[in-house]
C-alpha cells in the first residue's frame, strides 16, 4: 500500500491489511488509509512501545477521525519464559508456535478485535517493524482466508524484505537488527517462509481460536472480514 509515510504496508486478505508502526504515517497517509476503507487499527505492540518518536511526522488527532485504534498485544511484556526463547522480542517464525502456546488468550483477543471491527470496514494490523508479530497474525488470517502455502510464505518474505529495505535507507533501530544484502537475505527468507507455513498448518487457526475462547459467531465475523472480495 502506498499510504504516505507507511512502512511495510501490504494487503493480507479480504479486508485485512498490515504495516509497520502507525506513527510513521503522515496526515495524508491516514486520509489515504481511510479512503481505502480502513476503519480499525489493531496495534499488536505492548503498551510501552506505542509512542511517538522525535523523527515521526506530527499528526493531529483529527487525522484518525472515523478510525478506532485497538490495543491487542500478541504477547505479555517481560514474560521470562518467552524471553528466554526469543530474546528481547519475537524476530523469527521458529518461535511462532511458542507464542501461540504461551499466549492463546492474547491471540484470541486479536481476532476478537477483528470480529468487533468486521461490520465497520477494513482493518489494518501493525506491530513495530510489520514483520514478525504482524507476520504471525497475518499467516493466521491467510489460513482462515484459504490461501495456499506459497502465498503464506511469500507474505512473510515480502514483509521481511520491506523492513530490510527500510534498514538500508534509514538504518536499523538498534544493534539486534541490520540490513542484509540479498546473498544473505534470500536463503534466510526461504527457511523462514517455510517455518511460517509449518506453524500455521500445524496450528489449524479455526480450531485453535475456538478451542481458546473465540465464539462461533465471532469466528463467522472474522471469516467474513478475511474472505476474498471482502475489502470495502
Amino acid at each position: 500500500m502506498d499510504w504516505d509515510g507507511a512502512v511495510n504496508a501490504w494487503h493480507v486478505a479480504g479486508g485485512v491489511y498490515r504495516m509497520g508502526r502507525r506513527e510513521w504515517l503522515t496526515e495524508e497517509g491516514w486520509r489515504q488509509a481511510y479512503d481505502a476503507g480502513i476503519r480499525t487499527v489493531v496495534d499488536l505492540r505492548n503498551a510501552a512501545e506505542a509512542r511517538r518518536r522525535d523523527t515521526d511526522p506530527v499528526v493531529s488527532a483529527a487525522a484518525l477521525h472515523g478510525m478506532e485504534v485497538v490495543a491487542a498485544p500478541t504477547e505479555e511484556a517481560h514474560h521470562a519464559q518467552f524471553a528466554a526463547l526469543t530474546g528481547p522480542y519475537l524476530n523469527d517464525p521458529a518461535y511462532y508456535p511458542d507464542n501461540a502456546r504461551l499466549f492463546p488468550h492474547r491471540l484470541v483477543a486479536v481476532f476478537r478485535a477483528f470480529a468487533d471491527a468486521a461490520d465497520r470496514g477494513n482493518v489494518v494490523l501493525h506491530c513495530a517493524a510489520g514483520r514478525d508479530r504482524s507476520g504471525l497474525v497475518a499467516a493466521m488470517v491467510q489460513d482462515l482466508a484459504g490461501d495456499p502455502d506459497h502465498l503464506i510464505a511469500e507474505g512473510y518474505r515480502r514483509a521481511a524484505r520491506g523492513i530490510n529495505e527500510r534498514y538500508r535507507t534509514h538504518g536499523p533501530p538498534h544493534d539486534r537488527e541490520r540490513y542484509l544484502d540479498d546473498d544473505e537475505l534470500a536463503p534466510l527468507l526461504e527457511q523462514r517462509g517455510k517455518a511460517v507455513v509449518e506453524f500455521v498448518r500445524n496450528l489449524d487457526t479455526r480450531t485453535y481460536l475456538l478451542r481458546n475462547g473465540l465464539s462461533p459467531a465471532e469466528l463467522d465475523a472474522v471469516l467474513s472480514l478475511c474472505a476474498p472480495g471482502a475489502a470495502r
Side-chain angles (χ1 to χ4, degrees), residues 34-99:
Y34 186 89
D35 289 348
I38 300 298
R39 297 296 181 269
T40 305
V41 181
V42 178
D43 187 344
L44 305 178
R45 301 173 297 178
N46 291 308
E49 301 174 77
R51 65 186 189 278
R52 183 182 175 277
R53 301 171 185 166
D54 291 342
T55 54
D56 294 331
V58 176
V59 174
S60 68
L64 277 76
H65 178 73
M67 288 184 272
E68 181 178 357
V69 178
V70 179
T74 57
E75 61 192 49
E76 293 177 6
H78 313 301
H79 190 282
Q81 185 179 355
F82 193 53
L85 295 167
T86 65
Y89 58 88
L90 179 67
N91 73 338
D92 188 332
Y95 302 114
Y96 287 8
D98 298 294
N99 200 132

Side-chain angles (χ1 to χ4, degrees), residues 64-212:
L64 277 76
H65 178 73
M67 288 184 272
E68 181 178 357
V69 178
V70 179
T74 57
E75 61 192 49
E76 293 177 6
H78 313 301
H79 190 282
Q81 185 179 355
F82 193 53
L85 295 167
T86 65
Y89 58 88
L90 179 67
N91 73 338
D92 188 332
Y95 302 114
Y96 287 8
D98 298 294
N99 200 132
R101 172 177 57 84
L102 291 170
F103 310 119
H105 57 298
R106 296 291 190 186
L107 293 179
V108 166
V110 172
F111 283 86
R112 185 164 288 130
F114 291 166
D116 291 344
D119 63 353
R120 291 197 298 270
N122 297 336
V123 173
V124 61
L125 62 97
H126 77 89
C127 52
R131 182 188 57 201
D132 281 295
R133 285 172 290 187
S134 295
L136 186 159
V137 174
M140 295 172 71
V141 168
Q142 288 183 272
D143 184 32
L144 293 175
D147 280 0
D149 291 1
H150 74 276
L151 288 183
I152 293 174
E154 184 53 30
Y156 178 85
R157 292 169 184 149
R158 185 174 56 189
R161 291 188 194 100
I163 198 62
N164 188 62
E165 178 63 15
R166 170 79 179 184
Y167 296 158
R168 184 185 70 80
T169 57
H170 289 73
H174 46 69
D175 291 344
R176 198 178 187 221
E177 299 285 352
R178 62 186 177 87
Y179 170 73
L180 302 177
D181 64 30
D182 197 59
D183 287 345
E184 188 173 2
L185 184 65
L188 184 68
L189 294 190
E190 180 67 20
Q191 168 197 342
R192 291 188 174 182
K194 291 178 180 177
V196 173
V197 172
E198 182 178 2
F199 157 71
V200 81
R201 295 311 186 209
N202 288 337
L203 185 72
D204 181 357
T205 303
R206 292 188 190 211
T207 300
Y208 174 85
L209 293 172
L210 292 171
R211 186 174 64 240
N212 287 291

Side-chain angles (χ1 to χ4, degrees), residues 2-6 25-34 67:
D2 59 358
W3 308 329
D4 190 51
L25 266 71
T26 65
E27 293 217 8
E28 174 64 12
W30 284 114
R31 186 194 65 76
Q32 292 168 327
Y34 186 89
M67 288 184 272

Side-chain angles (χ1 to χ4, degrees), residues 8-23:
N8 218 6
W10 307 93
H11 179 236
V12 178
V16 182
Y17 298 77
R18 64 186 288 183
M19 65 181 182
R21 53 194 296 277
R22 69 177 183 273
E23 292 84 2

